[in-house]
């Protein structure tokens, strides 16, 4: 939980500040939607599913749009909610805030480890013979320094990281379109849109190949909910959060579907392989060796962007958990720059385990696959809690839903459709040996959380903090109702 009552004018501890502008929020949302999985994992996804991967990304993007709309409606229903762990605690109970907050923290630590592995792997391609620990350690050090300054510095860094991704994908689409319309020839054949269906059709590996695409593609979307963790530090959230969430379908169509159509039109899907970035391969194929090197650097910046988001979100989540007594109090302190520095140090120390993991196993690709599957399963849990909170919200706060200006399309029936999709994704993870192992390992985390919760839940300090948390929410709801009533009276008096 990350609810913080408003600081008084007397000498209270400093609070998180609203320093993220609309420009930052929009690009953070785009950066979250364009994950490392698109640049790194799309080769494996294409080789597994063939051209049907286009439908895989469209379906996942479509389903997650409704999760984001549910999250948006809940966050805007009470501006004292600082993230989705807050409304989970309020609507489902304190256990939900505890499980959601810590699982989301765990998700991003695991994702950050995957990013460190990816950065080390691509650094070795750029500089053969480079020891893996050097890029891993350098990445963590750079991101720690960036995040220790101010939240605005994080927003600015993420803004430029996201912009690099956008430019890279736009360049790929433009170059690819030129190659297609000019009839570019290569060893793989002629660049043409017919490559999408002339090598076994859209479903060359039949239904199970299509299913296999979901295993990898889900990880490409982790971080799409990141805009929800910026709620506490976003300027004018009523305007900026809806704008960021509503643009998700356009981003998915352009950045995922558009890029993949171009890639598979220039080169038949049969030429793609796991462990190799199709983005780099396409520029190399075009004879743009320098551009291929630049794209390699873009892939590195994409992984840096994801790790940067992970450090930001985990530090804020641990800070909030500590504020409510769900984590050690040492993590609840803010620096003079109003940054949760102790929580940042914790996240960065844990990211260093990515370096250890690379040395423990010989195959970087297998290490990446294992941690990304665990991360994907945990993110599905967090997304499910958001939807469960929405169901509770509709049942317990119908007046707030009726007053909402940002209602979730489809309502409760659509929630159950998305739940059905998540069940399908979990089943898909059981169909391959490597993802099945990761799926079977993940429950250990929830057993550990359950044991911790049994110890924590009856502590008087925790119960007192949760009561204060609920009081702060009710006060905000009453204040919002009073303001709404005043506005209504003003309108009526103007009409009169």
């Amino acid at each position: 939980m990350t609810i913080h009552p408003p600081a008084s004018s007397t000498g209270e501890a400093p609070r998180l500040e609203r320093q993220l502008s609309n420009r930052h929020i929009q690009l953070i949302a785009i950066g979250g939607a364009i994950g490392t999985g698109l640049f790194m994992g799309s080769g494996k996804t294409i080789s597994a599913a063939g051209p049907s991967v286009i439908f895989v990304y469209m379906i996942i993007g479509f389903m997650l749009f409704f999760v984001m709309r549910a999250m948006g409606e809940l966050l805007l229903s009470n501006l004292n909610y600082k993230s989705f762990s807050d409304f989970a605690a309020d609507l489902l109970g304190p256990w939900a805030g505890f499980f959601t907050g810590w699982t989301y923290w765990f998700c991003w630590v695991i994702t950050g480890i995957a990013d460190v592995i990816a950065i080390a792997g691509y650094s070795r391609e750029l500089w053969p013979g480079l020891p893996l620990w050097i890029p891993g350690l350098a990445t963590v050090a750079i991101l720690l320094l960036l995040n220790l300054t101010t939240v605005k510095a994080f927003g600015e860094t993420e803004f430029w990281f996201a912009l690099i991704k956008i430019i890279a994908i736009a360049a790929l689409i433009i170059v690819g379109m030129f190659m297609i319309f000019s009839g570019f020839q290569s060893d793989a054949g002629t660049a043409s849109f017919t490559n999408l269906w002339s090598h076994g059709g859209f479903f060359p590996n039949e239904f199970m190949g299509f299913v296999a695409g979901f295993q990898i593609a889900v990880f490409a979307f982790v971080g799409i909910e990141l805009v929800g963790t910026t709620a506490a530090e976003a300027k004018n959230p009523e305007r900026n959060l809806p704008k960021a969430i509503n643009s998700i379908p356009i981003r998915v169509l352009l950045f995922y579907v558009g890029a993949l159509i171009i890639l598979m039109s220039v080169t038949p899907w049969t030429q793609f392989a796991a462990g190799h970035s199709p983005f780099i391969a396409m520029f190399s194929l075009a004879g743009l060796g320098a551009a291929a090197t630049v794209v390699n650097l873009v892939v590195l910046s994409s992984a840096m962007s994801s790790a940067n988001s992970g450090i930001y979100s985990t530090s804020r989540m641990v800070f909030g958990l500590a504020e409510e007594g769900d984590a050690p109090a040492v993590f609840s302190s803010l620096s003079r720059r109003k940054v949760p520095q102790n929580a940042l140090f914790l996240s960065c120390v844990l990211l260093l385990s990515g370096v250890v993991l690379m040395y423990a196993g010989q195959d970087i690709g297998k290490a990446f696959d294992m941690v990304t599957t665990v991360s994907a399963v945990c993110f599905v849990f967090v997304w499910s809690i958001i939807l469960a909170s929405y169901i509770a919200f509709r049942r317990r706060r119908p007046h707030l839903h009726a007053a909402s200006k940002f209602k979730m399309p489809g309502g409760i029936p659509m929630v159950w459709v998305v739940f059905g999709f998540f069940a399908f994704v979990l089943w898909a993870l059981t169909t391959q040996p490597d993802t099945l192992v990761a799926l079977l390992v993940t429950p250990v985390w929830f057993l550990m959380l359950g044991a911790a919760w049994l110890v924590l839940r009856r502590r008087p300090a925790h119960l007192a903090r949760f009561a204060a948390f609920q009081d702060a929410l009710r006060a905000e709801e009453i204040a919002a109702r009073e303001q709404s009533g005043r506005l209504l009276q003003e309108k009526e008096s103007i009409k009169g």
Side-chain angles (χ1 to χ4, degrees):
M1 293 174 287
T2 55
I3 281 295
H4 321 298
S8 68
S9 56
T10 58
E12 264 194 47
R15 299 295 179 187
L16 297 175
E17 284 195 333
R18 294 189 181 276
Q19 294 185 11
L20 296 175
S21 66
N22 177 52
R23 175 173 65 92
H24 295 135
I25 296 296
Q26 291 295 328
L27 270 292
I28 286 169
I30 292 173
I34 310 170
T36 313
L38 176 62
F39 290 101
M40 267 203 78
S42 52
K44 183 176 180 180
T45 318
I46 293 168
S47 65
S52 67
V53 72
I54 295 167
F55 305 115
V56 169
Y57 280 93
M58 288 176 72
I59 292 169
I60 298 173
F62 176 77
M63 294 295 178
L64 291 184
F65 171 68
F66 291 98
V67 177
M68 296 304 99
R69 283 297 299 257
M71 180 185 75
E73 181 175 343
L74 291 171
L75 286 173
L76 295 176
S77 71
N78 189 329
L79 292 182
N80 228 21
Y81 290 144
K82 301 298 186 266
S83 76
F84 36 82
S85 69
D86 286 348
F87 61 63
D90 180 37
L91 295 164
L92 299 176
W95 68 270
F98 178 82
F99 271 76
T100 305
W102 276 115
T103 299
Y104 192 68
W105 170 85
F106 179 67
C107 284
W108 271 111
V109 167
I110 292 293
T111 303
I113 290 170
D115 292 325
V116 170
I117 291 169
I119 289 165
Y122 276 97
S123 297
R124 181 175 270 184
E125 284 192 22
L126 284 168
W127 299 282
L130 181 72
L132 291 173
W133 66 268
I134 293 177
L137 195 62
T139 299
V140 176
I142 291 167
L143 295 178
L144 176 62
L145 291 173
L146 287 171
N147 280 270
L148 276 174
T149 51
T150 63
V151 66
K152 191 173 181 182
F154 159 77
E156 205 62 41
T157 305
E158 199 56 28
F159 173 85
W160 290 106
F161 273 145
L163 201 59
I164 289 169
K165 294 182 195 178
I166 292 167
I167 292 169
I169 295 174
L172 174 123
I173 291 172
I174 292 166
V175 171
M177 291 287 282
F178 176 78
M179 293 169 75
I180 292 165
F181 288 113
S182 64
F184 180 81
Q185 297 282 338
S186 69
D187 293 339
T190 305
S192 170
F193 287 118
T194 59
N195 284 328
L196 291 172
W197 57 82
S198 60
H199 296 269
F202 275 102
F203 296 86
N205 293 330
E206 299 178 342
F207 179 69
M208 291 313 294
F210 179 64
V211 168
F214 285 91
Q215 301 167 346
I216 316 128
V218 167
F219 179 71
F221 285 87
V222 302
I224 199 169
E225 75 303 309
L226 182 64
V227 69
T229 63
T230 66
E233 294 166 289
K235 295 177 182 176
N236 196 358
E238 299 99 324
R239 182 173 64 91
N240 293 334
L241 289 180
K243 283 176 68 177
I245 290 169
N246 281 338
S247 59
I248 286 172
I250 298 167
R251 290 185 215 123
V252 170
L253 284 173
L254 178 63
F255 299 125
Y256 283 90
V257 178
L260 291 170
I261 287 173
I262 294 297
L263 286 168
M264 290 184 289
S265 297
V266 171
T267 307
W269 72 271
T270 52
Q271 304 295 311
F272 294 95
H276 299 280
S277 171
F279 286 78
I280 296 170
M282 200 197 84
F283 282 108
S284 298
L285 188 68
L288 303 171
T293 303
V294 170
V295 174
N296 218 327
L297 292 170
V298 168
V299 174
L300 277 175
S301 76
S302 174
M304 285 280 283
S305 167
S306 180
N308 190 38
S309 298
I311 287 174
Y312 168 83
S313 55
T314 52
S315 64
R316 268 57 180 181
M317 201 60 79
V318 170
F319 169 76
L321 288 164
E323 282 274 283
E324 298 306 322
D326 289 343
V330 68
F331 298 121
S332 66
S333 63
L334 292 176
S335 69
R336 284 180 300 173
R337 296 176 180 271
K338 300 185 180 177
V339 168
Q341 58 183 17
N342 291 340
L344 274 170
F345 286 128
L346 172 67
S347 299
C348 288
V349 167
L350 290 171
L351 286 191
L352 291 175
S353 61
V355 180
V356 178
L357 188 62
M358 286 183 293
Y359 280 104
Q362 299 299 312
D363 191 337
I364 287 178
K366 284 185 178 178
F368 184 82
D369 289 343
M370 174 66 79
V371 295
T372 53
T373 303
V374 172
S375 176
V377 173
C378 289
F379 270 104
V380 167
F381 170 81
V382 171
W383 296 334
S384 298
I385 288 288
I386 291 171
L387 294 177
S389 300
Y390 177 79
I391 292 174
F393 170 74
R394 289 289 301 273
R395 186 179 67 252
R396 296 174 55 187
R397 314 270 165 78
H399 59 285
L400 290 180
H401 169 70
S404 175
K405 296 178 182 177
F406 193 59
K407 292 183 174 70
M408 174 191 164
I412 300 294
M414 197 63 218
V415 168
W416 289 108
V417 171
V418 180
F419 273 140
F421 171 71
F422 287 160
F424 164 76
V425 168
L426 293 178
W427 169 75
L429 292 171
T430 67
T431 61
Q432 297 296 322
D434 52 348
T435 52
L436 177 61
V437 170
L439 184 64
L440 294 174
V441 166
T442 308
V444 174
W445 166 253
F446 292 102
L447 290 174
M448 290 168 58
L449 272 188
W453 175 246
L454 289 174
V455 173
L456 181 74
R457 69 191 179 106
R458 297 189 186 279
R459 289 188 175 179
H462 172 79
L463 295 171
R465 284 192 181 99
F466 186 69
F469 157 80
Q470 289 188 308
D471 290 343
L473 289 178
R474 297 294 80 76
E476 175 68 26
E477 188 177 333
I478 291 166
R481 281 190 190 180
E482 289 175 352
Q483 185 180 5
S484 177
R486 283 195 300 270
L487 290 172
L488 189 60
Q489 285 179 351
E490 287 173 10
K491 285 181 181 178
E492 288 177 354
S493 63
I494 291 169
K495 285 179 182 178

